[in-house]
Amino acid sequence: MVFFTGPILPPACGADAGMAFFESKIRPVLAEHCYSCHSFKAEKIKGDFLLDTRSGIRKGGASKRDAIIPGNVEGSHLIEAIRYGNEKLQMPPKRKLPDAVIADFEKWVAMGAPDPRDGVSKLPKEIAAENHWAWKRPRRMALPVVKAREWPRDSIDYFVLAKLEANQMNPNPDADRRTLIRRATLELTGIPPTPSDLAAFLNDTDATPIAFAKVVDRWLADSGFGARWGRHWLDVARFGESSGYSRNMLYPYAWRYRNYVIDSFNKDKPLDRFVREQIAGDLLPRRNAEQADEQITGTGFLTIGAKTFNEGNLVLFNLNCADDQIDVTCRAFLALTVNCARCHDHKYDPIPTKDYYSLAGIFLSSRNLAGSETNVRAEHSEAYPLGPNGWRQLTDIEEAKAKADSTMAEYLDLVKKRNVLREPLVKKGIDARKNPTPELAEAEAKVQAFQAEVRATKAAIPPPPEYAMAVVEGMTTKEAEEFEKRLAAEKEEIAAMKKAGKRPKDPTSARPKIEDSPVYEKGLYDAPKDKAPRGALSLFDYRTPPIGNDESGRRQLADWIADPRNPLTARVHVNRVWQHLFGRGLVETVDNFGVLGAKPSHPELLDTLALDFMENGWSTKRLIRRIMLSRTYCQSSAQHAGYVAKDPDNTFLWRFAPHLLEGEAIRDSVLSVSERLDSVHLQSSQVAEVSKQQALGRQREIGRRDYYMKDVTWDVRHRSVYLPMARGVLPDMLATFDAADPNLVVGARKLTIVPTQALYLVNSRMVIEESTNVAKRILSLAAGRRIDAAYELVLGRLPDDEERATVGRFLRSAADSEKTWARVCQTLICSGEFRTIY
C-alpha cells in the first residue's frame, strides 16, 4: 500500500510541479477518456460521478466511495477502476488504459492529487434539489381574478376557484345544513351530533354561514376537540406506551405526554411554542412550577419512541435513540427524511451526512428520562420528578431510605446480640421469655424499644413525586469529571460488597456528556471520523444561534425550527390541518416535502395560509375555523360525472370529497349514539396502573409470564385516545381500522375498506351491546317517530321513502322488540355511511 502522511505535496515536488504534472499527465486523459460520461456536459452522467472538478473527482459517485483520496493510492476508488483488477469495476469500459498512464495516476495520487480545477461538481438532480420549491420562503401572492366573483367567501376560495376555472370546472353547490353539522362535529370532536345539536342548527334563523360559524366555534371550544386533534398529533409523534422491539418494556409515564398534547390543542397553544416545548421545554423560561412541569412533559415527544433496549453496545444504542429523535423532529415539524443521511449524503435532498451528525450531537448531548429499562440497558431508567422540589424530594427520599436502612441494620444487630443471650437458656429448656437473665431482659428491652424507631424511620420516608418522561441536558465538562470520580468510588464499593459476600447495589448508569458527535463512516458505530459541530441543517440561508460548550443545542434547534424564516414549519403544519379536514393535503405527501415528495396542488394557497398562520399567532384553532368557514369546505360531496373523469382524485377541490373516519372516531361514535361515552379527561393510564405491579422497571416486560396481557382491558367507556397503546398490543378495533403504527411518524393514515372490518362490526360484543342501548333509546319514543329517530341518531339525517319502507317491512316481519330494533341500529352502525365524513 502507498500512504501519504506528510504535507499534501512532498518537499521534492513543489506546488507548481504538481500542478504541471496534473496538466500534462492527468487532465488530458480525463478529457479524452472520461468526460463524455462523467462531466456536467455529458448527455447522460454515468454512476452519478463527475470528474470535471477537483471536488467531483474526490467525492465519488453512486458507490459513495471516495474516488480519489490524496496520498492513499490503494484506497482510491478510481485507481481500482483503471487497474482492471475488479471484474465488476473497469474504467474506461471499452479498453484498459496503458500501464504508463495508470502509473501516472498512481504517482499523482501519491503526491497528494494536486488539482488546479476549482468549483463544485453538482449533478443536475442536485441542482434541481437546491432549487426545490419547499426550500424557498412562502411568498404572498395577489388574489387571482375569477369569473364567478360572487362565490368566494375567503381568499382560500379565490385560489381554489381560479384553479377550477382554469380547468373549465365549477365548484359544487353548498352542502345542506344536516351534512354541514355532521361534517363539522365529526371533524372537530370525532363523534356525531346529537339530535338536539341538529335541531338547534336546523332551527337557527341566521343565514347558514353565520349559523355554521356558531357551530364551529362551539366545537372548537369543546374539550372533545383536544381528544380528537390531539390524537392526530400523537400519530405524528409516534406515541406508544412501551418500548417495542424484542424487549417490549412499559412506559409508565407516557400518558402524561398524551395529556400534554390534548391540553395543548384545547388551549390552542401557538405552534411555535408547541415546537419549542417539545424539543427544549426544560430550557425555556417558566413563570411557576406548574408551567415548568408542563414544558418538561412536552419533551416526552423526544423519548417516547421505540427503543432497542436489548442492544448490548452502548454506542449503537445511543445512536439508535438519536436517530429516532432526528427522524421524528424533522418529519414532524419539517416533513424531511433527514435520517436517510445517517450512512451517506441524502440521495435526493441537499442534506449531507455531516448535517445529520450535527443534529445527532444535539440529541447525544441530552439525557433521556424515560422511566424504563432492561437488565441490558438502564441508561433511561430514571424519570423526571415533577413539582417545585422534585429533585430535592428524590434526594430526601434517598437520605431517608439510607437512614431507615441504617436503623434497620442497627436493629438487626441488637436482635442478633439478644439471640446470643437467649440461646443458652433455650438449650437448657428454660422459657427465655418468662425467665430471662438480667442481661437478656435488658437486651430484649432494647430490641422492643428500637422497633418503634425502625417504624418511625420507615414512616419518615417521603412519598415519591409524580413523574413524567422527559429529555434534559447532558453533563457539562465539570459535571462529567465529578461523575467519573463518583463512578470510580462506586465501583470500589461494589467490589468490596461482592468480596464481603453482600449483594451489591446496582451501578449508576452512564450519563451523556455534552459534546459534538463524530461522523460515523457509512453509519457504522465503530468507524468514527472527524466530529461535526452541533447545529441544525445547512439547508436554508440562516443557521442556529451559537451553541455554547455546555449546551446541548436543543434550545437553538427549537428556535431554528420555529423561526418565521424557516420555509417549512408553517407550511407543514398548515398542510397537516388541511389534510385532516379534506382527507388529502395540498401536498399529498404530508410527511415528505423533499424532492421525492409531491408538489403542492395549490402552491399560492399553501403559501398564503402559511403566512397568515404565522401572522395570526400560529393559532391552530383560527386556522381550522378559517378553512371550515370557507366556501370550499362547505361544498357538497355530490358526484359530477364529467369532473370525476377529468379529476378523479379531486385535486382541484371541485367538491368536498368524502373520507373515512379513523378507528378511534368509529368507536367513540358507537359509544356516543348509545349515550354511554364517558368524556372525562383521564389523569392516568392502564399502563401506569399495571406498571405498579412491578417495583423495578426491568420487570415490566410485556408478555413475560403473561404480564400486561392478562391485566389490560379495552372494555371501557372513555374516549379511545385514552386506551392503553403499548407497542405490539393495540386494541383490536383500532388495529382493525388501520391504527397508526406507533413506531413511525404517521401524518396521514392509510385508511382502508376491507371485509374484516365489516365482520368485526357485525360480531363485536361492544357494537352489539351498544346497538341494544341505542334500541332502548329508540323504543322510548312514540312508535311513529322511531324509524326517523334511528336514522337521525346514528346517521344525522332522515331516511328517504325507500329506506323508511324497508325498515318498516323488517319490523313487521319480526316482533317489534328491543332485539329487533337492536338489529336495525346495528345495521345502521355497520353501514359505510356511519364511518364516513361526507
Side-chain angles (χ1 to χ4, degrees), residues 689-709:
E689 297 305 314
V690 172
S691 295
K692 293 176 182 177
Q693 297 176 14
Q694 301 291 347
L696 299 177
R698 67 190 62 175
Q699 297 171 331
R700 300 168 184 154
E701 183 172 359
I702 294 176
R704 186 179 180 87
R705 298 188 182 91
D706 210 24
Y707 175 67
Y708 182 78
M709 309 296 291

PDB file of all heavy atoms in Angstrom, residues 689-709:
ATOM      1  N   GLU A 689     -51.079   1.927  35.762  1.00  0.00           N
ATOM      2  CA  GLU A 689     -51.589   1.094  36.851  1.00  0.00           C
ATOM      3  C   GLU A 689     -50.969  -0.298  36.824  1.00  0.00           C
ATOM      4  O   GLU A 689     -50.583  -0.840  37.859  1.00  0.00           O
ATOM      5  CB  GLU A 689     -53.118   1.007  36.755  1.00  0.00           C
ATOM      6  CG  GLU A 689     -53.836   2.340  36.930  1.00  0.00           C
ATOM      7  CD  GLU A 689     -53.457   3.037  38.228  1.00  0.00           C
ATOM      8  OE1 GLU A 689     -53.438   2.363  39.280  1.00  0.00           O
ATOM      9  OE2 GLU A 689     -53.162   4.251  38.188  1.00  0.00           O
ATOM     10  N   VAL A 690     -50.864  -0.886  35.639  1.00  0.00           N
ATOM     11  CA  VAL A 690     -50.254  -2.215  35.530  1.00  0.00           C
ATOM     12  C   VAL A 690     -48.788  -2.167  35.948  1.00  0.00           C
ATOM     13  O   VAL A 690     -48.264  -3.100  36.560  1.00  0.00           O
ATOM     14  CB  VAL A 690     -50.402  -2.763  34.092  1.00  0.00           C
ATOM     15  CG1 VAL A 690     -49.612  -4.056  33.919  1.00  0.00           C
ATOM     16  CG2 VAL A 690     -51.866  -3.002  33.758  1.00  0.00           C
ATOM     17  N   SER A 691     -48.120  -1.053  35.646  1.00  0.00           N
ATOM     18  CA  SER A 691     -46.696  -0.918  35.987  1.00  0.00           C
ATOM     19  C   SER A 691     -46.473  -0.990  37.495  1.00  0.00           C
ATOM     20  O   SER A 691     -45.407  -1.423  37.948  1.00  0.00           O
ATOM     21  CB  SER A 691     -46.152   0.406  35.445  1.00  0.00           C
ATOM     22  OG  SER A 691     -46.176   0.420  34.034  1.00  0.00           O
ATOM     23  N   LYS A 692     -47.464  -0.576  38.265  1.00  0.00           N
ATOM     24  CA  LYS A 692     -47.309  -0.576  39.720  1.00  0.00           C
ATOM     25  C   LYS A 692     -47.184  -1.989  40.287  1.00  0.00           C
ATOM     26  O   LYS A 692     -46.753  -2.157  41.428  1.00  0.00           O
ATOM     27  CB  LYS A 692     -48.481   0.152  40.364  1.00  0.00           C
ATOM     28  CG  LYS A 692     -48.529   1.646  40.060  1.00  0.00           C
ATOM     29  CD  LYS A 692     -49.774   2.301  40.645  1.00  0.00           C
ATOM     30  CE  LYS A 692     -49.838   3.778  40.283  1.00  0.00           C
ATOM     31  NZ  LYS A 692     -51.077   4.410  40.788  1.00  0.00           N
ATOM     32  N   GLN A 693     -47.562  -2.998  39.493  1.00  0.00           N
ATOM     33  CA  GLN A 693     -47.438  -4.377  39.971  1.00  0.00           C
ATOM     34  C   GLN A 693     -45.975  -4.788  40.125  1.00  0.00           C
ATOM     35  O   GLN A 693     -45.669  -5.727  40.864  1.00  0.00           O
ATOM     36  CB  GLN A 693     -48.129  -5.345  39.004  1.00  0.00           C
ATOM     37  CG  GLN A 693     -49.623  -5.146  38.874  1.00  0.00           C
ATOM     38  CD  GLN A 693     -50.214  -6.080  37.838  1.00  0.00           C
ATOM     39  OE1 GLN A 693     -49.577  -7.038  37.406  1.00  0.00           O
ATOM     40  NE2 GLN A 693     -51.448  -5.820  37.435  1.00  0.00           N
ATOM     41  N   GLN A 694     -45.085  -4.118  39.404  1.00  0.00           N
ATOM     42  CA  GLN A 694     -43.661  -4.445  39.447  1.00  0.00           C
ATOM     43  C   GLN A 694     -42.890  -3.234  39.942  1.00  0.00           C
ATOM     44  O   GLN A 694     -43.012  -2.139  39.394  1.00  0.00           O
ATOM     45  CB  GLN A 694     -43.155  -4.856  38.059  1.00  0.00           C
ATOM     46  CG  GLN A 694     -43.867  -6.058  37.455  1.00  0.00           C
ATOM     47  CD  GLN A 694     -43.544  -7.332  38.201  1.00  0.00           C
ATOM     48  OE1 GLN A 694     -42.628  -7.394  39.003  1.00  0.00           O
ATOM     49  NE2 GLN A 694     -44.310  -8.383  37.945  1.00  0.00           N
ATOM     50  N   ALA A 695     -42.088  -3.443  40.969  1.00  0.00           N
ATOM     51  CA  ALA A 695     -41.359  -2.316  41.567  1.00  0.00           C
ATOM     52  C   ALA A 695     -40.245  -1.807  40.669  1.00  0.00           C
ATOM     53  O   ALA A 695     -39.947  -0.616  40.639  1.00  0.00           O
ATOM     54  CB  ALA A 695     -40.793  -2.733  42.921  1.00  0.00           C
ATOM     55  N   LEU A 696     -39.609  -2.705  39.917  1.00  0.00           N
ATOM     56  CA  LEU A 696     -38.465  -2.335  39.094  1.00  0.00           C
ATOM     57  C   LEU A 696     -38.863  -2.246  37.620  1.00  0.00           C
ATOM     58  O   LEU A 696     -39.614  -3.088  37.110  1.00  0.00           O
ATOM     59  CB  LEU A 696     -37.337  -3.364  39.256  1.00  0.00           C
ATOM     60  CG  LEU A 696     -36.777  -3.525  40.677  1.00  0.00           C
ATOM     61  CD1 LEU A 696     -35.721  -4.622  40.700  1.00  0.00           C
ATOM     62  CD2 LEU A 696     -36.204  -2.210  41.190  1.00  0.00           C
ATOM     63  N   GLY A 697     -38.322  -1.227  36.948  1.00  0.00           N
ATOM     64  CA  GLY A 697     -38.627  -1.049  35.536  1.00  0.00           C
ATOM     65  C   GLY A 697     -38.249  -2.247  34.699  1.00  0.00           C
ATOM     66  O   GLY A 697     -38.941  -2.598  33.739  1.00  0.00           O
ATOM     67  N   ARG A 698     -37.167  -2.931  35.031  1.00  0.00           N
ATOM     68  CA  ARG A 698     -36.695  -4.055  34.229  1.00  0.00           C
ATOM     69  C   ARG A 698     -37.624  -5.265  34.326  1.00  0.00           C
ATOM     70  O   ARG A 698     -37.462  -6.243  33.598  1.00  0.00           O
ATOM     71  CB  ARG A 698     -35.288  -4.442  34.658  1.00  0.00           C
ATOM     72  CG  ARG A 698     -35.182  -5.036  36.060  1.00  0.00           C
ATOM     73  CD  ARG A 698     -33.747  -5.180  36.507  1.00  0.00           C
ATOM     74  NE  ARG A 698     -33.089  -3.884  36.581  1.00  0.00           N
ATOM     75  CZ  ARG A 698     -31.856  -3.706  37.046  1.00  0.00           C
ATOM     76  NH1 ARG A 698     -31.159  -4.726  37.473  1.00  0.00           N
ATOM     77  NH2 ARG A 698     -31.324  -2.502  37.090  1.00  0.00           N
ATOM     78  N   GLN A 699     -38.588  -5.224  35.257  1.00  0.00           N
ATOM     79  CA  GLN A 699     -39.535  -6.324  35.412  1.00  0.00           C
ATOM     80  C   GLN A 699     -40.811  -6.089  34.612  1.00  0.00           C
ATOM     81  O   GLN A 699     -41.674  -6.958  34.567  1.00  0.00           O
ATOM     82  CB  GLN A 699     -39.885  -6.494  36.899  1.00  0.00           C
ATOM     83  CG  GLN A 699     -38.694  -6.873  37.768  1.00  0.00           C
ATOM     84  CD  GLN A 699     -39.023  -6.815  39.249  1.00  0.00           C
ATOM     85  OE1 GLN A 699     -39.868  -6.036  39.681  1.00  0.00           O
ATOM     86  NE2 GLN A 699     -38.340  -7.633  40.037  1.00  0.00           N
ATOM     87  N   ARG A 700     -40.934  -4.924  33.984  1.00  0.00           N
ATOM     88  CA  ARG A 700     -42.187  -4.563  33.306  1.00  0.00           C
ATOM     89  C   ARG A 700     -42.132  -4.902  31.821  1.00  0.00           C
ATOM     90  O   ARG A 700     -42.299  -4.038  30.957  1.00  0.00           O
ATOM     91  CB  ARG A 700     -42.477  -3.080  33.505  1.00  0.00           C
ATOM     92  CG  ARG A 700     -42.634  -2.689  34.975  1.00  0.00           C
ATOM     93  CD  ARG A 700     -42.630  -1.194  35.155  1.00  0.00           C
ATOM     94  NE  ARG A 700     -42.676  -0.831  36.579  1.00  0.00           N
ATOM     95  CZ  ARG A 700     -42.205   0.294  37.061  1.00  0.00           C
ATOM     96  NH1 ARG A 700     -41.639   1.194  36.247  1.00  0.00           N
ATOM     97  NH2 ARG A 700     -42.276   0.561  38.361  1.00  0.00           N
ATOM     98  N   GLU A 701     -41.883  -6.147  31.521  1.00  0.00           N
ATOM     99  CA  GLU A 701     -41.756  -6.583  30.133  1.00  0.00           C
ATOM    100  C   GLU A 701     -43.045  -7.246  29.675  1.00  0.00           C
ATOM    101  O   GLU A 701     -43.499  -8.239  30.256  1.00  0.00           O
ATOM    102  CB  GLU A 701     -40.589  -7.552  29.980  1.00  0.00           C
ATOM    103  CG  GLU A 701     -40.367  -7.986  28.545  1.00  0.00           C
ATOM    104  CD  GLU A 701     -39.089  -8.787  28.366  1.00  0.00           C
ATOM    105  OE1 GLU A 701     -38.365  -8.993  29.365  1.00  0.00           O
ATOM    106  OE2 GLU A 701     -38.815  -9.209  27.232  1.00  0.00           O
ATOM    107  N   ILE A 702     -43.629  -6.698  28.624  1.00  0.00           N
ATOM    108  CA  ILE A 702     -44.894  -7.217  28.106  1.00  0.00           C
ATOM    109  C   ILE A 702     -44.710  -8.662  27.638  1.00  0.00           C
ATOM    110  O   ILE A 702     -43.774  -8.987  26.906  1.00  0.00           O
ATOM    111  CB  ILE A 702     -45.397  -6.344  26.943  1.00  0.00           C
ATOM    112  CG1 ILE A 702     -45.760  -4.949  27.453  1.00  0.00           C
ATOM    113  CG2 ILE A 702     -46.604  -6.975  26.253  1.00  0.00           C
ATOM    114  CD1 ILE A 702     -46.177  -3.983  26.375  1.00  0.00           C
ATOM    115  N   GLY A 703     -45.629  -9.525  28.063  1.00  0.00           N
ATOM    116  CA  GLY A 703     -45.606 -10.920  27.629  1.00  0.00           C
ATOM    117  C   GLY A 703     -44.815 -11.845  28.521  1.00  0.00           C
ATOM    118  O   GLY A 703     -44.967 -13.067  28.432  1.00  0.00           O
ATOM    119  N   ARG A 704     -43.939 -11.322  29.367  1.00  0.00           N
ATOM    120  CA  ARG A 704     -43.158 -12.177  30.259  1.00  0.00           C
ATOM    121  C   ARG A 704     -44.082 -12.707  31.362  1.00  0.00           C
ATOM    122  O   ARG A 704     -44.604 -11.951  32.160  1.00  0.00           O
ATOM    123  CB  ARG A 704     -42.003 -11.385  30.861  1.00  0.00           C
ATOM    124  CG  ARG A 704     -41.030 -12.220  31.689  1.00  0.00           C
ATOM    125  CD  ARG A 704     -39.908 -11.339  32.219  1.00  0.00           C
ATOM    126  NE  ARG A 704     -38.954 -12.077  33.018  1.00  0.00           N
ATOM    127  CZ  ARG A 704     -37.907 -12.726  32.553  1.00  0.00           C
ATOM    128  NH1 ARG A 704     -37.676 -12.746  31.249  1.00  0.00           N
ATOM    129  NH2 ARG A 704     -37.083 -13.360  33.348  1.00  0.00           N
ATOM    130  N   ARG A 705     -44.264 -14.004  31.386  1.00  0.00           N
ATOM    131  CA  ARG A 705     -45.234 -14.650  32.282  1.00  0.00           C
ATOM    132  C   ARG A 705     -46.615 -14.014  32.117  1.00  0.00           C
ATOM    133  O   ARG A 705     -47.367 -13.826  33.084  1.00  0.00           O
ATOM    134  CB  ARG A 705     -44.776 -14.582  33.742  1.00  0.00           C
ATOM    135  CG  ARG A 705     -43.466 -15.315  34.019  1.00  0.00           C
ATOM    136  CD  ARG A 705     -43.176 -15.367  35.516  1.00  0.00           C
ATOM    137  NE  ARG A 705     -41.896 -16.036  35.768  1.00  0.00           N
ATOM    138  CZ  ARG A 705     -40.729 -15.411  35.853  1.00  0.00           C
ATOM    139  NH1 ARG A 705     -40.694 -14.092  35.671  1.00  0.00           N
ATOM    140  NH2 ARG A 705     -39.616 -16.068  36.093  1.00  0.00           N
ATOM    141  N   ASP A 706     -46.935 -13.672  30.876  1.00  0.00           N
ATOM    142  CA  ASP A 706     -48.229 -13.095  30.502  1.00  0.00           C
ATOM    143  C   ASP A 706     -48.474 -11.735  31.153  1.00  0.00           C
ATOM    144  O   ASP A 706     -49.610 -11.278  31.250  1.00  0.00           O
ATOM    145  CB  ASP A 706     -49.369 -14.054  30.857  1.00  0.00           C
ATOM    146  CG  ASP A 706     -50.556 -13.902  29.906  1.00  0.00           C
ATOM    147  OD1 ASP A 706     -50.342 -13.430  28.784  1.00  0.00           O
ATOM    148  OD2 ASP A 706     -51.676 -14.245  30.307  1.00  0.00           O
ATOM    149  N   TYR A 707     -47.394 -11.100  31.608  1.00  0.00           N
ATOM    150  CA  TYR A 707     -47.515  -9.774  32.224  1.00  0.00           C
ATOM    151  C   TYR A 707     -48.098  -8.777  31.225  1.00  0.00           C
ATOM    152  O   TYR A 707     -47.747  -8.781  30.050  1.00  0.00           O
ATOM    153  CB  TYR A 707     -46.146  -9.302  32.713  1.00  0.00           C
ATOM    154  CG  TYR A 707     -46.110  -7.902  33.266  1.00  0.00           C
ATOM    155  CD1 TYR A 707     -46.763  -7.587  34.447  1.00  0.00           C
ATOM    156  CD2 TYR A 707     -45.415  -6.893  32.610  1.00  0.00           C
ATOM    157  CE1 TYR A 707     -46.731  -6.294  34.972  1.00  0.00           C
ATOM    158  CE2 TYR A 707     -45.372  -5.609  33.119  1.00  0.00           C
ATOM    159  CZ  TYR A 707     -46.033  -5.312  34.301  1.00  0.00           C
ATOM    160  OH  TYR A 707     -45.995  -4.036  34.809  1.00  0.00           O
ATOM    161  N   TYR A 708     -48.957  -7.945  31.673  1.00  0.00           N
ATOM    162  CA  TYR A 708     -49.690  -6.927  30.927  1.00  0.00           C
ATOM    163  C   TYR A 708     -50.821  -7.541  30.106  1.00  0.00           C
ATOM    164  O   TYR A 708     -51.945  -7.047  30.128  1.00  0.00           O
ATOM    165  CB  TYR A 708     -48.764  -6.124  30.008  1.00  0.00           C
ATOM    166  CG  TYR A 708     -49.471  -5.024  29.237  1.00  0.00           C
ATOM    167  CD1 TYR A 708     -49.806  -3.826  29.853  1.00  0.00           C
ATOM    168  CD2 TYR A 708     -49.811  -5.177  27.910  1.00  0.00           C
ATOM    169  CE1 TYR A 708     -50.463  -2.819  29.171  1.00  0.00           C
ATOM    170  CE2 TYR A 708     -50.462  -4.181  27.208  1.00  0.00           C
ATOM    171  CZ  TYR A 708     -50.790  -3.000  27.839  1.00  0.00           C
ATOM    172  OH  TYR A 708     -51.441  -2.005  27.146  1.00  0.00           O
ATOM    173  N   MET A 709     -50.548  -8.628  29.394  1.00  0.00           N
ATOM    174  CA  MET A 709     -51.560  -9.225  28.527  1.00  0.00           C
ATOM    175  C   MET A 709     -52.792  -9.653  29.334  1.00  0.00           C
ATOM    176  O   MET A 709     -53.919  -9.528  28.866  1.00  0.00           O
ATOM    177  CB  MET A 709     -50.980 -10.437  27.788  1.00  0.00           C
ATOM    178  CG  MET A 709     -49.676 -10.175  27.080  1.00  0.00           C
ATOM    179  SD  MET A 709     -49.821  -8.962  25.756  1.00  0.00           S
ATOM    180  CE  MET A 709     -50.799  -9.863  24.574  1.00  0.00           C
TER     181      MET A 709
END
